[in-house]
Amino acid sequence: MRLSELSGKEIIDVDNGERLGLVGQTDLVICETTGSIHSLLLPTASFLGLGKKRAEVVIPWQAVRKIGPEMMIVELRQRGRVYE
């Protein structure tokens, strides 16, 4: 799958059905030696970009459960771990 095909997909958390953002809004952490995606960095901006900027949400590639035609389903709670 090409990055351009991923960019428009919504990221949905399977645990609570929450829309986290779009893949196109994320930064990708890519392994330099293998070229594989390590994780997605989803920025969390404050209201209208004003005020303090909160930390990014790190979504490990292992948390991706399914990539469909319109969305990417992720599971942020895995075996007692919470990715944030």
Side-chain angles (χ1 to χ4, degrees):
M1 180 175 285
R2 295 180 180 263
L3 182 58
S4 61
E5 294 173 301
L6 279 176
S7 67
K9 296 184 187 304
E10 290 187 83
I11 303 170
I12 307 293
D13 185 2
V14 72
D15 291 322
N16 58 13
E18 180 182 4
R19 180 186 182 272
L20 301 174
L22 294 172
V23 176
Q25 296 171 335
T26 66
D27 288 325
L28 299 177
V29 178
I30 299 175
C31 178
E32 292 179 12
T33 55
T34 65
S36 62
I37 299 172
H38 183 266
S39 59
L40 305 166
L41 299 177
L42 184 63
T44 55
S46 58
F47 182 68
L48 296 177
L50 302 173
K52 288 185 178 180
K53 188 174 182 179
R54 295 176 278 167
E56 297 172 326
V57 175
V58 178
I59 304 171
W61 191 251
Q62 294 84 5
V64 175
R65 292 293 162 243
K66 185 80 171 175
I67 300 174
E70 296 179 8
M71 62 185 70
M72 175 186 287
I73 305 293
V74 298
E75 184 178 11
L76 295 182
R77 294 184 182 270
Q78 294 182 11
R79 289 174 248 126
R81 291 190 281 177
V82 178
Y83 299 111
E84 288 186 309

